[in-house]
Amino acid sequence: MTQAPATTKATRRRHDREIVMLAVPAFGALVAEPLFVMADSAIVGHLGTAQLAGLGVASALLTTAVSVFVFLAYATTAAVARRVGAGDLQAAIRQGMDGIWLALLIGSTVIAVVLPAAPALVGLFGSSNTAAPYATTYLRISSLGIPAMLIVLAATGVLRGLQNTKTPLYVAITGFIANGVLNLGLVYGADLGIAGSAWGTVIAQWGMAAVYLVVVVRGARRHGASLRPDSTGIRASAQAGAPLLVRTLSLRAILLIATAVAARLGDADIAAHQIILSLWSLLAFALDAIAIAGQAIIGRYLGADDPQGARAACRRMVQWGIAVGVVFGFLLIVSRPLFLPLFTSDSTVKDTALPALIMVALSQPICGVVFVLDGVLMGAGDGPYLAGAMLVTLAVFAPVALLVPALGAGLTALWGAMTLMMTVRMLTLLLRTRSGHWVVTGATR
């Protein structure tokens, strides 16, 4: 009777150590990409308003082009972790190489589309005549770094699957520093203007990709894994990633609808919405770090034919998600009058944002559960269910959000719709995890 609690406590401590060891470095790596954009904005901002506006448009297009392919990291993490759990490191790294080759193919295709279409893509954003040329220049040059960014995604997935999130953190920090130094030197030292910023970022991105490739290639040689492209493996990686692409596109559609609705509410509302969305996204990075730990840990347990271990890890990570969400919600409520002045001095914007932030704060425990279970099901390779669940969520959210301006409601109501969206996601994910259908053991799903 006395042994069970001790065993449970020991198991929880082991899970806690694993979650912290994987999640903390993952969070640092996740924050690196927004820091790249912030550094570029700070440097280009001193060139002039038109240049900064052009950078804003180009960055939005580039971020979208890369973020829709985030499945390269997620699907690769799950597949590699399963093989690690099965004790087959050679197959794990071979799976990772297939993901990297797929990233290179997708990246090359995106370049072929973006280079000639850059002016038209910039025009879709309604850029001014003064900003459009800068946006086109930055977009064309920066598109050359898209294959590198996608290789980084896939290689990051490989290392996460191998239970290694420290190397991506080190590479991200080094890349951030190199990006800043290169941008300063090329923008001002070489007097290349916004083109210098684009070239600096491209060089930093390819440098990061090169480091990842060295690490993965060394691992492949150590374990006797082939480096050659394998059409069957690449197709399998694409098939595993396709449902996650649907999931990601559905989520992007939700965020775009929310921004479009906020814009209809008025200038103060859209300004407040952008502030809140930035904070919401920052908190999402921390919760996503736990989800990344979940992908790696769950994949490993299932690959090792340990369904009980997978379920126990899932329960513990949900507890972590709820606890972190409660802390974030409390901090938001307490500190909201303090940090809003950092974003705006407009009293109307602050008054609009304050009640909406309470809604965001109250939803954080829900967000914690959603992000964790999202990671659990990704780690289990349950992509088709995630795609279907997100389509259902989009179908619920869209009409509710579009009713907000029609009913004369404001930003708080819009973020109420966002909370409804997260609640629907939570319910669909809880139904799946409690059903047990996600628990499929073995080296492959």
Side-chain angles (χ1 to χ4, degrees):
M1 295 294 290
T2 58
Q3 188 64 32
T7 304
T8 302
K9 190 175 292 186
T11 301
R12 286 178 179 173
R13 281 201 299 265
R14 186 176 74 251
H15 287 150
D16 290 345
R17 283 195 300 271
E18 282 190 316
I19 292 167
V20 171
M21 287 176 62
L22 291 171
V24 172
F27 173 70
L30 285 170
V31 174
E33 187 60 34
L35 290 177
F36 264 59
V37 177
M38 288 176 61
D40 288 359
S41 299
I43 293 168
V44 171
H46 291 285
L47 294 174
T49 301
Q51 288 91 331
L52 183 58
L55 173 66
V57 171
S59 293
L61 287 165
L62 288 165
T63 300
T64 300
V66 174
S67 64
V68 296
F69 298 116
V70 73
F71 70 83
L72 289 166
Y74 294 159
T76 304
T77 297
V80 171
R82 273 184 175 269
R83 286 164 173 77
V84 168
D88 192 348
L89 289 177
Q90 182 186 73
I93 295 176
R94 174 65 260 179
Q95 178 75 42
M97 286 304 304
D98 292 334
I100 290 172
W101 280 112
L102 177 62
L104 187 58
L105 287 172
I106 293 173
S108 301
T109 303
V110 173
I111 287 180
V113 172
V114 171
L115 279 177
L121 291 171
V122 169
L124 290 175
F125 275 72
S127 301
S128 67
N129 292 333
T130 53
Y134 295 114
T136 302
T137 296
Y138 191 93
L139 181 59
R140 277 181 166 156
I141 296 172
S142 292
S143 67
L144 301 177
I146 288 176
M149 287 188 277
L150 298 186
I151 288 171
V152 166
L153 282 177
T156 299
V158 176
L159 295 180
R160 288 173 181 169
L162 294 171
Q163 318 295 295
N164 176 3
T165 56
K166 288 185 179 179
T167 298
L169 173 61
Y170 300 148
V171 175
I173 292 173
T174 304
F176 172 70
I177 295 171
N179 178 67
V181 172
L182 285 166
N183 278 10
L184 284 171
L186 293 174
V187 171
Y188 297 111
D191 198 25
L192 293 179
I194 195 170
S197 176
W199 281 117
T201 301
V202 168
I203 294 169
Q205 287 162 344
W206 276 107
M208 292 170 67
V211 172
Y212 274 117
L213 288 174
V214 168
V215 172
V216 174
V217 167
R218 283 179 178 173
R221 288 176 175 168
R222 185 163 58 249
H223 296 287
S226 174
L227 299 174
R228 294 179 180 178
D230 176 69
S231 58
T232 301
I234 293 172
R235 276 198 305 273
S237 294
Q239 288 169 357
L244 296 181
L245 175 61
V246 173
R247 167 201 167 275
T248 302
L249 289 173
S250 300
L251 180 57
R252 297 295 297 185
I254 287 170
L255 297 177
L256 286 172
I257 290 170
T259 299
V261 170
R264 292 185 183 182
L265 298 176
D267 290 347
D269 293 87
I270 185 61
H273 175 74
Q274 288 304 112
I275 294 171
I276 295 170
L277 188 60
S278 298
L279 292 167
W280 189 79
S281 300
L282 178 62
L283 297 177
F285 281 128
L287 295 171
D288 203 26
I290 304 175
I292 287 169
Q295 293 170 30
I297 293 169
I298 295 297
R300 191 189 73 229
Y301 274 118
L302 294 178
D305 290 319
D306 186 359
Q308 291 303 113
R311 289 189 178 94
C314 174
R315 286 193 297 270
R316 191 57 179 162
M317 281 183 284
V318 169
Q319 291 168 0
W320 267 79
I322 294 171
V324 173
V326 168
V327 171
F328 283 171
F330 175 77
L331 291 176
L332 266 181
I333 290 175
V334 171
S335 62
R336 72 190 197 283
L338 301 177
F339 63 70
L340 276 176
L342 298 175
F343 292 91
T344 180
S345 58
D346 189 322
S347 59
T348 304
V349 174
K350 286 189 282 189
D351 291 342
T352 302
L354 279 171
L357 275 171
I358 295 177
M359 184 68 69
V360 174
L362 294 174
S363 71
Q364 286 307 298
I366 297 173
C367 294
V369 175
V370 167
F371 276 87
V372 166
L373 293 183
D374 216 32
V376 166
L377 295 185
M378 284 183 190
D382 205 11
Y385 182 84
L386 289 172
M390 189 60 78
L391 287 172
V392 170
T393 303
L394 173 60
V396 173
F397 170 78
V400 175
L402 294 173
L403 276 175
V404 170
L407 296 175
L411 189 66
T412 303
L414 174 60
W415 276 94
M418 288 288 284
T419 301
L420 172 65
M421 178 270 293
M422 294 302 290
T423 303
V424 172
R425 287 186 69 188
M426 182 181 69
L427 292 175
T428 58
L429 296 174
L430 282 172
L431 284 172
R432 186 62 168 181
T433 51
R434 290 182 177 178
S435 74
H437 295 313
W438 60 280
V439 182
V440 179
T441 59
T444 58
R445 183 177 173 88

